[in-house]
Structure formats: structure tokens, C-alpha cells
Amino acid sequence: DNSTGIRAWSSSRLVPGLWVRPGAAVDGDDGTGWVAARDDSQPRLTLHLPEQREVAGLRFVNDDALPASRPRQVSVTFSDGTEVSGTVGDDGLMRFDPRETRRLVLRFGSSYPLENISSRGGLRTVAPVGASEVRVLGAEDLSRAVSPGRETGAQCGFGPSVTINGT
């Protein structure tokens, strides 16, 4: 999303939209976030750092408004192919021995479920895993929002029609 910060890709996303794209999990804004699709049985979030860094853990932040279950079991694969697995604590932290890397592939296992109960009929569903922010310990300065002045490559005039007070 931002060539000078962390870039993110995912195996899926719950809905299309700027505020719930994979990069929203590393934009420094707790009001945005990434949520996996409901049918993604092996959700994955890949984080690419612009430079090699020594990292020592992850902090998962979930805003109360994010419709997502919090990560519990996470496996991380690093640039050199090594992998660590661990449990995310109640504080959102998952620590591991420091290591140099430029890429982290996060695979999500079990989660702390967020249960939705339908007001029509009481149908219970569990929200998919997601995070408002994934902070890489050792690379916190690389989490930043996309510049509002950045060109998107989209041509003007092709967005949605907007009507205000009949005009």
C-alpha cells in the first residue's frame, strides 16, 4: 500500500473496500483493519518490509468496531523459510526470538471468537479472524497510512454517483 512502509497481502478479505483491505492492518489506524473471508479455512496475511529488520514479535490490535475474531494461534514464516508458532496473549502480544527478516507470512489457526447473534431468529455465527492493526515489534515506525495525495491510477469521473439534497 505504501512504498516506504509495510506492504500487505492476504489470502482473502471479508468485503471489498479501502477500510478493510490487507494494508489497513498496517496503516497505523486502529479505525481500519483486515478481516478474512468467512469461507477462508486457512487465512494468511503476508507482510513485506521495505528493508531487512530485526523483529521480535507481533502485537495484534482489534478495535471494538471491527467485525472480527481475535487471533489466538499464529504461525509466522520468515524470509529465510524458518517458522515459529505461538499463542497470542490477552494483551495481543506474540513474542519470539529476535531474527532478521524482510517478509513475514502469518497463518492463523484458532481464534478468540467474536460471536454474532442475529436479531431475526437468533442465528449464531462466529466472525472470521482479523485485526485492526498488526504491529511488527522492531518495525513499528514502518506502519503508516497511505498518503491522501498519492495517485491511485484511477481516472476521475468513474467513481460512484453521489446525490445530495436531490442534486
Side-chain angles (χ1 to χ4, degrees):
D1 283 16
N2 184 341
S3 61
T4 59
I6 298 173
R7 294 184 355 210
W9 296 269
S10 65
S11 56
S12 68
R13 59 200 274 184
L14 183 60
V15 295
L18 182 62
W19 304 112
V20 290
R21 72 197 189 288
V26 291
D27 66 0
D29 182 354
D30 293 353
T32 63
W34 164 77
V35 181
R38 291 190 185 285
D39 62 351
D40 190 346
S41 62
Q42 297 180 327
R44 201 172 55 254
L45 186 65
T46 300
L47 307 178
H48 183 79
L49 312 181
E51 61 194 30
Q52 192 91 350
R53 287 288 182 100
E54 183 177 82
V55 300
L58 301 167
R59 178 182 297 277
F60 295 92
V61 177
N62 279 56
D63 185 271
D64 289 341
L66 188 73
S69 295
R70 292 185 308 114
R72 179 183 304 187
Q73 293 297 126
V74 179
S75 295
V76 182
T77 304
F78 302 95
S79 299
D80 64 3
T82 59
E83 183 177 312
V84 297
S85 295
T87 301
V88 178
D90 289 336
D91 58 359
L93 276 175
M94 176 187 164
R95 294 194 179 275
F96 44 77
D97 291 337
R99 65 197 65 229
E100 294 277 330
T101 194
R102 190 170 178 183
R103 186 184 71 245
L104 300 93
V105 179
L106 285 56
R107 290 178 177 80
F108 298 93
S110 65
S111 62
Y112 297 100
L114 173 66
E115 189 174 57
N116 298 314
I117 303 171
S118 169
S119 59
R120 292 184 171 188
L123 177 66
R124 293 173 182 264
T125 58
V126 174
V129 71
S132 297
E133 283 294 307
V134 179
R135 297 191 178 122
V136 181
L137 306 183
E140 295 91 340
D141 61 309
L142 298 176
S143 290
R144 54 181 73 119
V146 175
S147 168
R150 179 176 172 218
E151 290 191 23
T152 64
Q155 295 179 351
C156 288
F158 291 97
S161 298
V162 178
T163 304
I164 301 173
N165 290 333
T167 304

